[in-house]
Amino acid sequence: IADYQGELADYENTKRTLKTYEEFLGVKEEHPDFKFISASILSKDTTDAYGTIILSKGSTKGVKVNDPVIYGKNLVGIVTDVAATSCTVTTFTSPDFNAAVYETRSNVLGYVTGFDDGAGKDYCKLPGLDKDSTIATGGVICTLGLGGIFPKNLIVGTVDEICKSKADISYYAKIKSNVDLNDIKDVFIITEFEGQGIAQ
């Protein structure tokens, strides 16, 4: 029974890894300029309401601060601290996270960030919209590629609802990520892409 359970665990790990690599094969085909390395999630900071995660790769593998982290075509976050064999990632749910984006249907530009109260699990927001904004529920939000931090067209998520801001008269789009941070165990770190580090 112990041997069988061990084989079953190995099978599940292999199946999970294969699925991860299949998703990233599509990313590599679409973006041949990307260079990335795989990394496992070592831990999640339970004291951080915004989902900071620790990955298994660091500076010895070429990881740098501001390297984007992805799962398939979906943006997970950005490397904010690097040690020799690990790195810390600030996820899209954090108010410290910021990325220039556009909505694919309307082409409206903006930026996304996390919710200040930490209540936005698997969510981020696109603030500063006016009442007549053409962004609507179901719209897909992607990175704009400006600033040299994120490449263009990584998927941030889908507009879940349009909400009234409590701070002023503006509105914001509540964006649901395709990535469940509690479920994923492996990600990829983009260590190089065309335009990286070039502010536009």
Side-chain angles (χ1 to χ4, degrees), residues 38-177:
S38 62
S40 298
I41 296 177
L42 295 177
S43 65
K44 297 169 185 177
D45 188 349
T46 56
T47 64
D48 181 8
Y50 306 113
T52 298
I53 56 179
I54 310 297
L55 302 182
S56 62
K57 299 291 172 64
S59 59
T60 57
K61 296 296 184 180
V63 179
K64 311 173 299 298
V65 169
N66 287 339
D67 282 348
V69 177
I70 59 175
Y71 182 83
K73 298 178 183 179
N74 301 285
L75 183 61
V76 171
I78 188 169
V79 175
T80 49
D81 189 57
V82 181
T85 59
S86 65
C87 66
T88 302
V89 176
T90 296
T91 69
F92 59 83
T93 64
S94 171
D96 293 329
F97 181 85
N98 195 304
V101 297
Y102 72 102
E103 197 272 319
T104 57
R105 263 188 320 215
S106 64
N107 210 34
V108 170
L109 308 182
Y111 72 95
V112 292
T113 187
F115 285 89
D116 294 332
D117 57 6
K121 178 189 172 187
D122 299 332
Y123 287 91
C124 58
K125 63 180 177 180
L126 193 163
L129 301 178
D130 59 43
K131 186 177 181 179
D132 300 319
S133 173
T134 52
I135 290 181
T137 301
V140 178
I141 306 297
C142 293
T143 53
L144 188 57
L146 295 179
I149 302 296
F150 300 102
K152 189 172 183 179
N153 291 332
L154 297 178
I155 299 171
V156 178
T158 304
V159 177
D160 191 62
E161 60 179 316
I162 305 298
C163 306
K164 176 76 171 63
S165 172
K166 295 178 181 178
D168 52 39
I169 61 171
S170 70
Y171 290 75
Y172 66 88
K174 185 178 180 182
I175 301 162
K176 177 75 166 67
S177 174

Side-chain angles (χ1 to χ4, degrees), residues 177-198:
S177 174
N178 297 323
V179 178
D180 186 335
L181 294 176
N182 288 322
D183 283 348
I184 61 172
K185 294 179 173 61
D186 303 286
V187 295
F188 272 67
I189 304 168
I190 303 176
T191 57
E192 187 177 326
F193 60 90
E194 186 175 347
Q196 186 178 34
I198 301 174

